[in-house]
Amino acid sequence: MESKHVHQQIAAMRQSFFDEEVLDEFFSQLEQLEDQNNPNFVEEVFTMYFRDSTTLLETVEQAMKTISITLAKLDKILHQLKGSSASVGAKKVLNEINKTRQVLEKGNLEGTKAGIWEMRKEYESLKAKLEPYFQV
Amino acid sequence: MTMEEKMGGSNREGEALDRFPVGMRVLAVDDDPICLKVLGTLLLKCQYQVTTTNQAISALKMLRENRNRYDLVISDVNMPDMDGFKLLELVGLEMDLPVIMLSAHSDTKLVMKGITHGACDYLLKPVRIEELKNIWQHVVRRKKPDSKDRVNALNQDKASGGIGEAVQTSTSSSDQKFNKKRKDQNEDEEDDGEDNEHENDDPSTQKKPRVVWSVELHRKFVAAVNHLGLDKAVPKKILDLMNVEGLTRENVASHLQKYRLYLKRLSSVATQQANMVAALGGKDPSYLRMGSLDGFGDFRTLTGSGRLSSASLSSYQPSGMFGRLNSSAALNLRGISAGVIQQGHPQTLSNSINGLGKIQPVGLPANQNQNGTLFQGIPSSIELNQLSQNKSDNHFGELNPVNNPNVFGVATNFPDARMTVGSSSSSLSTPSGSPLLLQANTQQAQHSGAFGNQSSLRVASLNQESFDMGVHGFSNFVDNGRCHENWQNTVQLSSFPSNSLSTCEAFSHEQLHTNNLQESISWRSSHLNDNPIDLSASMANAGLEDSRGDMQCQISPSNNVIHNIDYAAKQQWGENSSFAGADSLVAGAPYVQHLEAGKLAFNTKLRSNEDILFEQRKPQNEFSQNNFETLDVISSSMIKPEQYNETGMMEGEFGYDAFPLGSCI
């Protein structure tokens, strides 16, 4: 049946997320939080996440363009991103963020840029994957 | 789960102890809306009652409104409006609620910081629900020491309700708390049967009993330390002096350690402020007194603009001037650092404070962090005041440690100006401390806006002796966290370091001595800008000892000025002796002039910061006249209309009768 089919699809997608480690156990935790009182909780959270992170990422990119970017500020933004990503269970993105932060700490600006780029990539892919998931 | 929830929800009240965790009221603070939402939902899942806010300031407000409405606070570390640690300290100090820190950082240093600031626990993001399920143990743990029996009974009987009460109980008597805490510690938490995995684990034996340093207790502590002299303050003696039942030497020792750190932080800020404070402080005891408390009220109004505390302080921060802080320190008058100093000028404060008293210049971290700065500065002032006798409630010291969360860590501590008030009431016993406190209070005001000033006022008032430190200034200082230590009212205004540090209105540091504050007003407003440190030095030089109220007119108008001021201050210092007397003012006058120019410059700067208060201070420069007249002038000048919504007020205050100081405020 349709619904069954859809369910299966959802299940399959979800499983693939975990397999690819795009999402981690926190995502499951989020799902647990969802219930009758809180329908679509996960979706809401992710919507918010995407919205905020997009802004943050843009800020980061802009900051990178400015010559006099302070590492501290950048770090702060990354930290915030880290927190958000961790909360939603976006594992890969989180990993990338961590890597970038480490590079940043060392003061390697170029490396940081590369890291940020990677982050963005992961982030985009996460977004792409989750969107259909939610639509279903 | 659903069933549980329902059950939990309905049976929240009057349940037995086992139900305690259920329905516990938690306040969650986090600037990241996503995390906040997730956290809130998680907490709800644990069957707690949750209130969320993404602003630390509003969280504080809510807590202050009704402290009993919450059992536990969870706060993020990095927040834009206020540093999480600062909030932590404030909450711990004011409301004695268990606070759990939350962060994506797992840096050991941060965790350590959280612990030293009094956090109950430190969780990492992302938070797991299992971890949240256990947080209620912190609430129970806290309550245990207090009226243990009561708590037990309470806990057993009520679920959330009891807890609230218990909490209250605990907060009500610090002494009790200590005792209880100790007992609790000894007993461990077997009652609850929690597994003490957290830092408070195993209270018995290993750790000294967790003593809650309430405002009064801290005040006593500060008084004792000041009495002994910071360097000579040994836990044993402090303990004896404090004469608090149930307090152990270890408690005092660790508290002293923290306090010292705090002072250090403040000192940098404080020096600036101290200068200011000194100027302010000395003068009119009457002034201070009166107003101090009342003044506060006035100040508050003055600061009316509310900004004083917060604004000033905050603006201070932007100034980053540590020196500014000093100006803010004007607030600091010594202690004022609370708000102002915090701004980062803690350094200056410390400097100023050092000058004043013992203030350890520890170089208050230029706290930009408002949070800390104030306090830090304040402690310095407090210390400074030691000279004067200010008993600046060392709260400052305590407060400061707070990371300068925007608020001036110091000041923030005072959030309710209580702190300072406490100190102030003690008539500035802690010369520096008081002002600082005020400042700290003012600082708080920063947050609260009005506090700062109040604190300062308090401080001023504390000065009982004529110090009155310009507490008036304090009110301003809220902005400035003036640590005037002695600033007796006269200069008090100067103390306003309120943000505008710049105007560091000469604190009558020395006021202590001569009560003549008037002169003392030389509040180094100038120092503010520049390096409060310099000022403080100057101020210190000025002879805070002179007590004449070294009016250091330091008004160091914004940074630029500061330099000048420092210079001037220094000069003044030399001259301070002269200042000390009415003469000094004169000496200062030239300086003042110098400063004036600077001040103006500074004022403008300050304005931006909201120094307004300082502006008032500037008039102080003018006060080289020994008498407040100068101050008035200064204050008036200091008070640059713009910013000063608040400062303007100060002027009025400063305008104080030049000496009766009482009128100052």
Side-chain angles (χ1 to χ4, degrees):
Chain A
M1 278 146 33
E2 281 182 12
S3 60
K4 191 157 173 222
H5 177 69
V6 164
H7 276 288
Q8 275 179 353
Q9 203 179 353
I10 294 179
M13 284 176 90
R14 196 164 157 281
Q15 194 54 43
S16 78
F17 287 152
F18 286 122
D19 291 342
E20 291 173 22
E21 294 188 359
V22 170
L23 295 178
D24 57 16
E25 67 267 10
F26 286 104
F27 186 73
S28 317
Q29 185 171 265
L30 280 188
E31 286 181 327
Q32 282 174 19
L33 290 181
E34 190 170 291
D35 57 12
Q36 288 166 4
N37 295 342
N38 239 338
N40 302 330
F41 176 69
V42 183
E43 195 176 343
E44 283 172 17
V45 170
F46 268 94
T47 313
M48 278 174 63
Y49 172 66
F50 285 136
R51 200 178 53 211
D52 284 356
S53 342
T54 312
T55 322
L56 281 179
L57 276 176
E58 280 174 12
T59 314
V60 164
E61 299 210 337
Q62 251 190 4
M64 294 304 291
K65 295 203 187 109
T66 31
I67 313 264
S68 63
I69 177 66
T70 41
L71 290 186
K73 238 178 24 176
L74 203 54
D75 186 65
K76 198 162 171 235
I77 301 176
L78 282 181
H79 177 82
Q80 194 167 356
L81 257 179
K82 177 179 173 188
S84 317
S85 309
S87 299
V88 286
K91 194 159 171 212
K92 266 196 179 161
V93 178
L94 185 60
N95 287 343
E96 287 302 324
I97 292 179
N98 280 339
K99 274 196 241 157
T100 310
R101 285 185 86 241
Q102 278 176 359
V103 172
L104 185 66
E105 268 170 33
K106 300 204 180 100
N108 184 356
L109 203 57
E110 287 308 315
T112 310
K113 285 202 184 134
I116 290 179
W117 191 75
E118 284 283 326
M119 247 168 54
R120 184 135 224 190
K121 222 173 58 164
E122 289 298 333
Y123 171 76
E124 297 290 339
S125 80
L126 171 75
K127 196 167 175 192
K129 292 201 178 114
L130 282 177
E131 264 169 17
Y133 175 74
F134 283 128
Q135 281 169 10
V136 173
Chain B
M1 185 71 113
T2 315
M3 246 190 4
E4 282 178 15
E5 273 181 342
K6 280 207 228 143
M7 275 193 348
S10 52
N11 296 343
R12 203 139 355 144
E13 305 288 347
E15 283 295 298
L17 180 53
D18 5 319
R19 291 216 59 95
F20 162 44
V22 172
M24 188 174 76
R25 293 152 306 172
V26 183
L27 174 65
V29 190
D30 191 339
D31 61 325
D32 186 358
I34 300 163
C35 298
L36 196 60
K37 181 168 185 172
V38 174
L39 183 64
T41 318
L42 281 174
L43 289 169
L44 280 175
K45 246 333 187 272
C46 299
Q47 300 167 37
Y48 300 141
Q49 256 184 309
V50 186
T51 313
T52 62
T53 173
N54 68 341
Q55 287 250 336
I57 301 183
S58 58
L60 260 180
K61 210 158 51 130
M62 283 193 273
L63 283 170
R64 288 192 188 135
E65 276 171 19
N66 183 2
R67 190 215 160 282
N68 300 327
R69 210 183 286 156
Y70 304 103
D71 301 313
L72 180 69
V73 179
I74 300 185
S75 162
D76 185 27
V77 168
N78 320 75
M79 287 193 287
D81 56 344
M82 187 194 301
D83 186 24
F85 292 118
K86 197 179 226 185
L87 177 64
L88 162 63
E89 271 193 14
L90 285 176
V91 172
L93 232 69
E94 283 186 29
M95 293 144 229
D96 189 35
L97 275 175
V99 181
I100 294 180
M101 301 305 296
L102 195 61
S103 178
H105 272 312
S106 60
D107 186 18
T108 314
K109 292 198 210 92
L110 280 185
V111 179
M112 192 52 156
K113 201 170 177 192
I115 298 176
T116 54
H117 285 298
C120 274
D121 203 354
Y122 193 104
L123 300 177
L124 285 195
K125 281 190 200 169
V127 185
R128 294 204 310 280
I129 195 165
E130 298 83 17
E131 294 183 7
L132 287 181
K133 285 216 171 102
N134 279 337
I135 59 177
W136 59 271
Q137 60 179 286
H138 299 296
V139 179
V140 182
R141 195 179 290 136
R142 268 211 186 202
K143 288 205 234 166
K144 261 182 87 177
D146 309 328
S147 60
K148 219 162 42 109
D149 343 69
R150 252 183 309 167
V151 168
N152 287 340
L154 288 174
N155 286 341
Q156 278 158 5
D157 300 350
K158 52 190 177 163
S160 31
I163 305 192
E165 280 182 307
V167 176
Q168 259 186 331
T169 320
S170 34
T171 46
S172 45
S173 57
S174 46
D175 285 359
Q176 249 184 347
K177 276 192 271 199
F178 294 126
N179 287 333
K180 299 234 171 85
K181 287 264 172 178
R182 255 189 323 162
K183 275 201 288 186
D184 184 33
Q185 301 263 347
N186 295 334
E187 307 185 335
D188 205 335
E189 298 189 324
E190 319 152 26
D191 302 349
D192 304 319
E194 308 162 335
D195 35 318
N196 299 324
E197 29 179 87
H198 301 271
E199 41 203 56
N200 291 341
D201 269 353
D202 194 359
S204 54
T205 58
Q206 283 180 5
K207 317 204 285 199
K208 348 182 222 217
R210 195 180 182 317
V211 163
V212 173
W213 284 88
S214 71
V215 174
E216 309 166 17
L217 204 62
H218 180 71
R219 195 158 7 117
K220 276 192 188 163
F221 172 81
V222 173
V225 169
N226 286 331
H227 180 76
L228 292 171
L230 192 69
D231 296 336
K232 298 206 197 62
V234 276
K236 186 82 178 74
K237 290 191 189 154
I238 297 176
L239 186 62
D240 292 340
L241 273 180
M242 284 176 70
N243 196 18
V244 167
E245 169 189 311
L247 194 59
T248 69
R249 199 196 65 80
E250 292 81 16
N251 294 140
V252 175
S254 77
H255 193 72
L256 177 64
Q257 195 179 36
K258 289 189 209 166
Y259 179 63
R260 284 212 171 108
L261 287 175
Y262 168 71
L263 286 179
K264 259 195 211 177
R265 263 193 299 197
L266 277 188
S267 64
S268 46
V269 166
T271 41
Q272 290 186 346
Q273 300 216 343
N275 294 327
M276 298 194 29
V277 172
L280 292 175
K283 303 320 181 141
D284 233 347
S286 53
Y287 177 72
L288 287 173
R289 280 330 149 112
M290 51 152 217
S292 4
L293 289 183
D294 297 325
F296 270 115
D298 294 345
F299 274 161
R300 283 260 202 128
T301 48
L302 288 178
T303 50
S305 304
R307 9 78 29 309
L308 282 177
S309 21
S310 4
S312 321
L313 296 173
S314 351
S315 37
Y316 238 47
Q317 299 256 330
S319 339
M321 308 198 10
F322 182 74
R324 297 256 184 116
L325 276 185
N326 290 333
S327 16
S328 328
L331 283 180
N332 12 86
L333 285 202
R334 287 304 174 109
I336 309 205
S337 44
V340 175
I341 304 201
Q342 303 229 333
Q343 292 233 336
H345 294 296
Q347 302 171 355
T348 41
L349 282 182
S350 38
N351 292 321
S352 38
I353 304 202
N354 288 315
L356 292 181
K358 312 240 216 127
I359 309 206
Q360 320 175 349
V362 188
L364 300 173
N367 309 312
Q368 303 267 329
N369 309 317
Q370 307 176 334
N371 312 325
T373 32
L374 280 184
F375 264 168
Q376 305 197 336
I378 305 197
S380 352
S381 25
I382 307 192
E383 298 213 72
L384 290 179
N385 287 323
Q386 294 195 346
L387 299 181
S388 2
Q389 2 183 309
N390 307 325
K391 285 223 335 205
S392 44
D393 252 344
N394 288 314
H395 277 285
F396 287 119
E398 292 294 326
L399 297 180
N400 274 326
V402 186
N403 309 305
N404 307 310
N406 305 324
V407 187
F408 294 161
V410 170
T412 46
N413 290 323
F414 295 118
D416 288 317
R418 288 198 268 198
M419 310 258 318
T420 49
V421 176
S423 28
S424 15
S425 15
S426 51
S427 62
L428 294 187
S429 39
T430 45
S432 1
S434 317
L436 288 175
L437 287 179
L438 288 180
Q439 300 220 335
N441 287 334
T442 45
Q443 288 288 331
Q444 298 283 340
Q446 289 211 336
H447 293 296
S448 14
F451 282 125
N453 297 324
Q454 307 218 328
S455 331
S456 32
L457 290 182
R458 294 299 178 128
V459 170
S461 33
L462 294 182
N463 285 315
Q464 359 164 313
E465 313 199 63
S466 37
F467 297 136
D468 290 302
M469 305 211 353
V471 170
H472 303 306
F474 283 114
S475 37
N476 290 328
F477 79 24
V478 164
D479 297 328
N480 299 321
R482 304 33 99 110
C483 311
H484 345 270
E485 305 183 335
N486 301 307
W487 300 300
Q488 310 197 346
N489 306 313
T490 53
V491 183
Q492 320 266 333
L493 293 182
S494 11
S495 354
F496 288 134
S498 51
N499 307 329
S500 22
L501 292 186
S502 48
T503 44
C504 307
E505 315 196 304
F507 290 107
S508 9
H509 293 296
E510 298 304 356
Q511 306 186 336
L512 302 179
H513 295 298
T514 54
N515 297 319
N516 298 316
L517 302 184
Q518 308 136 20
E519 312 189 297
S520 317
I521 310 227
S522 54
W523 194 78
R524 323 235 355 176
S525 44
S526 49
H527 30 260
L528 300 179
N529 293 322
D530 219 315
N531 296 305
I533 311 186
D534 289 326
L535 293 180
S536 35
S538 320
M539 306 249 327
N541 298 323
L544 296 177
E545 327 264 15
D546 291 308
S547 61
R548 290 299 209 76
D550 302 281
M551 308 239 318
Q552 313 255 348
C553 300
Q554 303 280 343
I555 313 196
S556 45
S558 35
N559 310 320
N560 301 323
V561 180
I562 304 194
H563 291 293
N564 292 326
I565 302 191
D566 283 328
Y567 172 75
K570 293 194 184 157
Q571 291 185 339
Q572 292 200 332
W573 279 109
E575 313 202 359
N576 284 328
S577 46
S578 52
F579 285 138
D583 312 324
S584 46
L585 286 180
V586 177
Y591 176 80
V592 172
Q593 293 176 356
H594 185 71
L595 292 174
E596 293 257 356
K599 274 196 313 198
L600 296 177
F602 184 81
N603 289 329
T604 37
K605 288 213 186 154
L606 296 179
R607 297 288 186 75
S608 53
N609 295 328
E610 300 188 24
D611 302 335
I612 310 194
L613 286 184
F614 272 133
E615 301 220 283
Q616 295 200 341
R617 292 257 230 173
K618 298 217 286 189
Q620 309 219 342
N621 291 327
E622 311 211 321
F623 57 73
S624 52
Q625 303 180 12
N626 302 337
N627 300 331
F628 290 112
E629 297 179 348
T630 337
L631 284 176
D632 294 344
V633 178
I634 303 187
S635 4
S636 42
S637 38
M638 302 261 327
I639 313 195
K640 292 238 176 175
E642 284 181 22
Q643 299 201 334
Y644 299 128
N645 303 324
E646 313 156 278
T647 40
M649 300 215 260
M650 297 276 318
E651 291 187 328
E653 303 195 333
F654 289 124
Y656 26 90
D657 341 52
F659 310 104
L661 291 184
S663 49
C664 287
I665 307 192

